[in-house]
Amino acid sequence: MINCCHGCVFDCLTEVGPDGQLRGELAESWEASPDAKVWTFKLRQGVTFHNGKAFGADDVLESLAMHTAEGAKSAAQPIVSAISEMKKINEHEVELTLEAGNADFPFLLSDYHIVMFPAGQVDEAIAKGIGTGLYEAVSFDPGVRFVGKRVASHYKDGSAGWFDEIEYIAINDTSARMNALMTGQVDAVNRIDFKTEPLMRANPRITIFEVTGNQHYTLPMLSNVAPFDNLDVRLALKHAVDRQELVDKILQGHGAVANDHPIGPANQYYAADLPQIEYDPDKVKFHLDKSGIGELNVDLHIANAAFNGAIDAGQLYQSSAKKLGININVVQEPDDGYWSNVWLKKPWCASYYSGRATEDWMFATAYEAGVPWNESNWDDPRFQELLYAGRKELDSDKRRVIYHEMQEILSTRGSTVIPMYANYVDAASSALAHGENIGNNFQMDGSRMAERWWFA
């Protein structure tokens, strides 16, 4: 199920449009100081929350501050903690000063975690779904079902929000999700099952839509837990996976081979010229011998909740590695509770990322030391040094060099196997229509199908 808050109940200050360009949402405009440290945002006027409260500067400051409050475990903490001072200039203007310059800062404020809540009512707004979005919450059973009704007199009237009511249903079982669309129980589904793709394509009532973005599937190893704290073990495992086989058999060709770093082909500074990590028996033997471990036996905890076909991918990896003397025990975990009981907890597991619109955003989300979603506990001094340097660098050529080295570090030393980029392949009733472009920053048109699509 896609995030039903983003682009639905709650709004951000900025938004990545379906064309990939940044545009204002609750912020009308913004400007930066020459060093990109001080950012001034002019807020949209005439906006109200679903409970009638007017939106203004106080709401922005409190909504940002909650991510760094004592005890907060927000995934947006790395973004907001970079703000050293927040100032209300007037009711419709705020000034945010960063600890260090960040040329990508307005992009970061489109993160779906950084939605705006009414000041003084944050807890109630979270519990009841009180936002400024196009749809007001009617009912919400987390992980099960959401129903929202269209808000009257909204600031996006005439440009978005074409449904009177929307309903999101969580159908985690892949077969059941595909069947729900084919039998007309639902109008759209995400993450189609490639095994049933031919059947779906033959159905004239179904349209499959595919976009290439930065989504990638990951197999993170906790870099501070044996044997994954041994670089040669990690390199042996990287060279023991047949990446093209995974693209061909798991993605059915809907993607591309990846190179153990998270920057995708849709990113500005994607390092396409890095040497490809390949399935290589000689390198596996070399690194296993160098590791001093001898026979390598490791558990890979996996469930299809991580990504469609994850268990099959694990078994293919197991087969290719076994030929080279590595024993991977594929531990099939339940889909229910996978993200709370396995991810970030087991030494080696499966995961996925939608990618991010900028390199710094992706690195800061999952590879900056100490951030909540650092799924491999990655902490490399040189990588961290480059991360901070690239963040404040305004010269595009210099940023390219920095981000190239960061991708190289993760590819050759990192603690995550990233075997493939996966296209977003979703499906909908042919009765639905959309604009010229479909957003590729997240699934389902940038997770904003509810506001961008309509019935033809």
Side-chain angles (χ1 to χ4, degrees):
M1 188 175 81
I2 63 175
N3 188 326
C4 67
C5 298
H6 192 222
C8 178
V9 175
F10 301 102
D11 292 328
C12 299
L13 289 179
T14 59
E15 171 191 354
V16 177
D19 59 356
Q21 299 299 307
L22 190 68
R23 61 193 189 189
E25 191 163 36
L26 287 176
E28 280 191 330
S29 63
W30 49 89
E31 59 182 23
S33 60
D35 59 0
K37 283 187 65 174
V38 182
W39 290 87
T40 304
F41 291 84
K42 292 186 178 180
L43 308 178
R44 196 175 300 278
Q45 300 187 35
V47 177
T48 59
F49 288 93
H50 298 152
N51 62 0
K53 180 188 180 301
F55 166 73
D58 292 332
D59 307 307
V60 174
L61 301 187
E62 189 165 328
S63 297
L64 290 173
M66 63 174 287
H67 295 281
T68 55
E70 185 176 354
K73 297 181 180 180
S74 169
Q77 186 271 339
I79 296 173
V80 182
S81 64
I83 304 173
S84 60
E85 183 181 5
M86 297 187 286
K87 184 186 300 183
K88 173 183 175 180
I89 297 177
N90 55 54
E91 290 297 327
H92 304 290
E93 194 170 1
V94 297
E95 182 181 273
L96 305 177
T97 301
L98 309 181
E99 291 181 351
N102 189 336
D104 295 334
F105 186 62
F107 266 101
L108 302 184
L109 294 181
S110 70
D111 187 298
Y112 63 84
H113 300 94
I114 310 179
V115 296
M116 294 295 109
F117 300 109
Q121 306 169 44
V122 171
D123 290 341
E124 180 185 4
I126 293 174
K128 297 182 178 180
I130 302 171
T132 59
L134 280 159
Y135 297 94
E136 183 177 357
V138 173
S139 64
F140 181 41
D141 186 359
V144 179
R145 181 173 179 265
F146 166 82
V147 176
K149 66 178 181 180
R150 178 62 156 87
V151 173
S153 301
H154 194 270
Y155 73 91
K156 291 184 180 179
D157 283 349
S159 63
W162 312 112
F163 303 117
D164 294 327
E165 185 174 279
I166 58 172
E167 179 181 11
Y168 288 153
I169 304 170
I171 308 176
N172 291 322
D173 181 84
T174 301
S175 296
R177 191 164 69 252
M178 300 307 104
N179 187 63
L181 178 63
M182 289 190 285
T183 58
Q185 298 175 65
V186 299
D187 297 302
V189 297
N190 64 331
R191 298 168 63 181
I192 73 164
D193 180 7
F194 296 134
K195 295 176 182 177
T196 61
E197 180 186 357
L199 184 62
M200 298 178 74
R201 288 192 181 277
N203 190 328
R205 298 189 301 273
I206 294 175
T207 299
I208 293 176
F209 51 101
E210 178 173 358
V211 294
T212 299
N214 296 324
Q215 180 176 222
H216 53 279
Y217 295 160
T218 74
L219 299 169
M221 303 169 266
L222 296 183
S223 59
N224 58 341
V225 175
F228 307 116
D229 56 350
N230 186 317
L231 173 59
D232 286 291
V233 167
R234 303 200 299 266
L235 288 171
L237 288 168
K238 285 170 180 271
H239 285 289
V241 57
D242 188 333
R243 298 160 194 265
Q244 190 61 55
E245 181 181 44
L246 295 183
V247 171
D248 294 341
K249 294 182 178 179
I250 302 302
L251 300 180
Q252 297 293 301
H254 297 290
V257 166
N259 205 18
D260 295 340
H261 64 75
I263 305 306
N267 279 120
Q268 181 180 3
Y269 301 113
Y270 170 62
D273 60 338
L274 285 179
Q276 177 64 51
I277 303 291
E278 296 180 334
Y279 184 66
D280 191 324
D282 292 334
K283 289 185 178 179
V284 169
K285 183 180 186 305
F286 171 80
H287 289 294
L288 283 181
D289 290 344
K290 189 178 176 184
S291 73
I293 287 180
E295 186 178 61
L296 181 58
N297 300 282
V298 288
D299 290 339
L300 173 58
H301 299 263
I302 205 161
N304 284 334
F307 55 84
N308 281 349
I311 292 175
D312 289 342
Q315 291 170 342
L316 288 171
Y317 194 174
Q318 177 187 54
S319 177
S320 67
K322 189 173 182 62
K323 298 173 184 176
L324 308 183
I326 296 176
N327 298 311
I328 298 176
N329 177 35
V330 177
V331 182
Q332 296 188 28
E333 301 282 358
D335 286 337
D336 291 340
Y338 180 81
W339 298 108
S340 57
N341 300 326
V342 177
W343 184 60
L344 301 178
K345 294 180 174 62
K346 299 296 184 180
W348 196 21
C349 69
S351 178
Y352 84 100
Y353 273 94
S354 301
R356 294 296 186 268
T358 72
E359 286 74 7
D360 180 73
W361 190 355
M362 186 64 243
F363 289 140
T365 298
Y367 296 88
E368 184 170 356
V371 299
W373 284 8
N374 186 333
E375 59 185 9
S376 63
N377 287 342
W378 177 247
D379 187 359
D380 179 271
R382 176 58 179 167
F383 183 89
Q384 300 303 319
E385 177 187 357
L386 290 166
L387 178 66
Y388 303 137
R391 184 171 294 163
K392 64 184 179 181
E393 180 57 64
L394 298 177
D395 184 286
S396 182
D397 290 337
K398 293 179 179 178
R399 295 187 95 196
R400 185 177 303 279
V401 172
I402 289 170
Y403 291 135
H404 188 286
E405 184 178 347
M406 293 174 76
Q407 291 170 72
E408 183 179 26
I409 288 172
L410 290 178
S411 181
T412 59
R413 302 207 303 265
S415 190
T416 301
V417 177
I418 304 177
M420 52 186 166
Y421 298 110
N423 292 349
Y424 290 116
V425 189
D426 305 319
S429 164
S430 56
L432 283 168
H434 55 77
E436 179 181 358
N437 297 309
I438 296 177
N440 67 357
N441 55 320
F442 292 107
Q443 59 192 326
M444 307 297 274
D445 202 352
S447 291
R448 289 178 178 267
M449 174 185 274
E451 70 170 49
R452 295 176 181 171
W453 288 48
W454 62 88
F455 282 112

